[in-house]
Amino acid sequence: MSTPSPASPDSTPALELPQVFRIQRIAYFAVPMMFIVTVILAGASLVWLGWTLVLPIVLAWWIVRIRTVVTEDGLRAVHTFGTREIAWDEVDGVQFPRWGSVRAVLVNGARVRLPAITFADLPRLSAASRGRIPDPYETYARSHENT
């Protein structure tokens, strides 16, 4: 999936909603690799390590499930075992911790993890949010136009 280049505010493309942010497809490569490892483990002792054969299925399910959806009403963060709906009027901004996943900072100060969003997704996230979440690439470009 390619990320569109930052655009000026006048030419910001209108993205069709809902926009779904998923883990990159390369992650599926880990499923057959994990299967090979679990077959080797289960082969050592099927009685004690046979349960490990379920792990590649769980990993594939997790990769399919984890996502962030941007809608007209707000954000939907789909986690491993739950989903969190956040209205746009609750969102104060986004935070990129040095180690960890992107978080939506809410007006009340709480932070909600946004799965599958990276810093490179910010231009698309900004366009999908209709500017409610600012694009730092665009801000940087505008601040350096006059220099």
Side-chain angles (χ1 to χ4, degrees):
M1 181 181 335
S2 65
T3 306
S5 62
S8 67
D10 301 330
S11 64
T12 302
L15 292 178
E16 196 173 306
L17 293 179
Q19 281 289 309
V20 181
F21 294 82
R22 294 187 176 277
I23 295 175
Q24 294 182 5
R25 291 183 182 166
I26 193 77
Y28 286 105
F29 183 71
V31 175
M33 296 300 107
M34 182 181 268
F35 179 71
I36 291 169
V37 170
T38 59
V39 165
I40 293 168
L41 283 172
S45 174
L46 190 59
V47 173
W48 293 102
L49 297 172
W51 64 269
T52 61
L53 293 171
V54 179
L55 293 178
I57 297 166
V58 171
L59 177 63
W61 170 80
W62 183 79
I63 293 170
V64 169
R65 177 156 171 81
I66 298 297
R67 64 189 174 276
T68 298
V69 182
V70 179
T71 64
E72 281 292 335
D73 301 326
L75 298 167
R76 184 179 328 123
V78 181
H79 302 282
T80 305
F81 296 112
T83 301
R84 174 83 190 263
E85 300 272 345
I86 307 164
W88 284 122
D89 58 351
E90 294 178 49
V91 177
D92 194 32
V94 290
Q95 176 188 38
F96 286 85
R98 182 173 207 158
W99 307 108
S101 56
V102 177
R103 301 184 188 294
V105 179
L106 306 183
V107 196
N108 65 5
R111 287 164 174 66
V112 177
R113 190 173 57 88
L114 298 177
I117 293 184
T118 65
F119 196 76
D121 292 324
L122 276 176
R124 186 172 144 221
L125 180 63
S126 177
S129 70
R130 309 290 193 246
R132 294 177 186 105
I133 297 174
D135 180 3
Y137 296 115
E138 182 181 314
T139 305
Y140 179 81
R142 269 192 272 148
S143 70
H144 286 80
E145 278 179 358
N146 300 335
T147 56

